[in-house]
Amino acid sequence: MNCRTLAVLGSTGTIGTYTLDIVDKFPGQFRVVSLACGKNIEKLIPQIEKYQPRVVSVDQADLIPRLKNLFPQVDFFSGSEGILACLQIESIDVAIVGVVGFAGLNPTIQALRHSKMVGLANKESLVVAGTLLQKEISNSKAVCIPVDSEHNAVYQLLMGRERQEISSIVLTASGGPLLRYPEMNLDEVTPDFAINHPNWKMGPKISVDSATMMNKGLELIEAHFLFHFPETQIEVWVHPQSIVHGALWFKDGSCIAQLTKPDMKSSIGYAMKFPQRLEGVIPKLTFKEMGKLEFFEPDIKRFPCLRLAREALLAGPSYLVALNAANEIAVDAFLNQKIRFSEIPKFIEKQLRKHETTSVGSLEDVIAIDQSTRDFSIRSLS
């Protein structure tokens, strides 16, 4: 049995944790050689004990002395140097990039350059640097497989098909915790309520994005760069059961879709073993569970973030960087109770209206636009 070497970037987050669960379920098929996380070393420590990686990276260098004292046999690094060390330690078969937000851009680029296969769970990197990342993917020897369930579904559905036979691709959205509360005053939505997703276990930032529908807006942009479909050919439908993850409409009016239980391990496992499949990663659906599938058009008036994402995509690359930066600041402000839930899209739109078109020809351009938008956004909160 071929044992694949594995680098898990964002090991203490939801995606990283699920990845390591799959490693546990399929002993002998994967060997964890490196782990990278942010600041959650209390969760990292048992991971090191269990998987005995050769290299570990953390965000801040001042965390290393404690870890080195506990694990003298492990090589510890921090920051960008640490991400690179995680991917260069030996030939990496699979790199899972589960780093959340703009911080995932550099790990994504390094993973594409230094591994054979990349399971990409960081949508923000494609949002802010889609064209640049597409060049990296084209120049890379790595196979890049999206791990978001919707994009993973579309990736599988598109495989082996001629583009000219497809009229549109479909991404589904659960509707988040607010779907069943159409009369709820959005001013009254608390952080605890917003992160309590009915179907998926996700981190707080992504959960809030799901509640505002920005998550689906970011995924629409991601789909545009991954699959090269224009914005007009990417449909979004609210599907509360989260069973249909993606679909294709053909020009003859027929449709095919991918259906699974709402469990991220399905798409993560697909990326980890591609082009083969792991057996029984998640339980299969029954026809009874498929008995009632609902679909609704998104309420753009109540949840304007999806509209803002489409507008930013049409406006150009620098607007995408500004959109993502403003959203990250807004979500953080909401989680820290500095703004109300209803103010998130208003805050983002304000930053986009202030933004002026800027050339995006390099990674340095992306970083500069991101920083200037964040600086302006933070000042506008005070």
Side-chain angles (χ1 to χ4, degrees), residues 188-235:
E188 299 174 357
V189 175
T190 65
D192 286 342
F193 184 92
I195 65 176
N196 187 23
H197 198 284
N199 298 343
W200 300 95
K201 182 182 178 183
M202 306 182 293
K205 192 268 181 184
I206 299 176
S207 297
V208 175
D209 282 348
S210 178
T212 65
M213 288 291 288
M214 179 57 86
N215 191 51
K216 208 53 51 180
L218 298 178
E219 289 181 0
L220 182 149
I221 298 165
E222 181 184 9
H224 166 75
F225 287 112
L226 278 173
F227 307 123
H228 308 288
F229 280 87
E231 176 266 338
T232 53
Q233 289 181 265
I234 305 174
E235 301 180 31

Side-chain angles (χ1 to χ4, degrees), residues 34 54 72 80 107 126 163-164 206 210 281 292 316 342:
S34 58
R54 292 175 59 192
S80 298
L126 274 163
R163 187 59 53 96
Q164 58 266 27
I206 299 176
S210 178
V281 179
K292 186 178 181 182
S342 61

Side-chain angles (χ1 to χ4, degrees), residues 14-118:
T14 304
I15 298 297
T17 301
Y18 284 162
T19 300
L20 295 175
D21 287 344
I22 294 171
V23 172
D24 294 343
K25 188 171 183 177
F26 297 92
Q29 296 206 37
F30 304 98
R31 178 168 60 90
V32 178
V33 297
S34 58
L35 299 170
C37 86
K39 303 174 184 177
N40 191 353
I41 62 171
E42 301 308 322
K43 192 170 182 178
L44 176 66
I45 287 171
Q47 291 180 347
I48 299 173
E49 290 175 340
K50 185 172 188 178
Y51 300 103
Q52 300 182 6
R54 292 175 59 192
V55 169
V56 172
S57 175
V58 291
D59 270 357
Q60 299 174 350
D62 59 5
L63 299 174
I64 292 178
R66 178 188 172 192
L67 292 168
K68 191 65 179 177
N69 185 55
L70 292 170
F71 305 102
Q73 78 282 8
V74 176
D75 292 327
F76 290 97
F77 299 87
S78 63
S80 298
E81 179 190 16
I83 296 296
L84 193 57
C86 284
L87 295 163
Q88 288 185 325
I89 184 65
E90 60 181 272
S91 178
I92 299 294
D93 292 318
V94 183
I96 300 296
V97 184
V99 182
V100 177
F102 186 85
L105 177 56
N106 181 59
T108 299
I109 291 173
Q110 297 304 329
L112 288 168
R113 292 175 179 175
H114 295 96
S115 54
K116 299 172 185 175
M117 194 153 327
V118 177

Side-chain angles (χ1 to χ4, degrees), residues 162-168 233 248-255:
E162 296 295 331
R163 187 59 53 96
Q164 58 266 27
E165 66 181 334
I166 300 164
S167 62
S168 65
Q233 289 181 265
L248 304 182
W249 281 106
F250 295 106
K251 291 183 177 178
D252 63 3
S254 61
C255 179

Side-chain angles (χ1 to χ4, degrees), residues 212-332:
T212 65
M213 288 291 288
M214 179 57 86
N215 191 51
K216 208 53 51 180
L218 298 178
E219 289 181 0
L220 182 149
I221 298 165
E222 181 184 9
H224 166 75
F225 287 112
L226 278 173
F227 307 123
H228 308 288
F229 280 87
E231 176 266 338
T232 53
Q233 289 181 265
I234 305 174
E235 301 180 31
V236 173
W237 288 85
V238 175
H239 169 49
Q241 291 77 30
S242 296
I243 286 175
V244 176
H245 300 284
L248 304 182
W249 281 106
F250 295 106
K251 291 183 177 178
D252 63 3
S254 61
C255 179
I256 61 171
Q258 191 218 44
L259 290 74
T260 70
K261 289 178 179 290
D263 191 328
M264 287 295 295
K265 292 177 187 175
S266 174
S267 53
I268 297 170
Y270 180 82
M272 290 170 67
K273 195 63 176 178
F274 183 86
Q276 302 165 341
R277 291 179 186 265
L278 295 166
E279 184 173 347
V281 179
I282 63 172
K284 73 176 185 179
L285 281 168
T286 65
F287 279 100
K288 184 177 181 180
E289 290 173 300
M290 299 182 230
K292 186 178 181 182
L293 302 179
E294 302 171 288
F295 300 90
F296 310 101
E297 290 189 25
D299 186 345
I300 302 299
K301 185 175 181 180
R302 185 168 167 82
F303 301 103
C305 283
L306 183 56
R307 168 182 61 81
L308 294 175
R310 286 189 182 273
E311 290 176 357
L313 179 56
L314 294 172
S318 68
Y319 281 88
L320 296 177
V321 182
L323 173 83
N324 183 74
N327 180 62
E328 289 191 10
I329 296 298
V331 170
D332 182 71

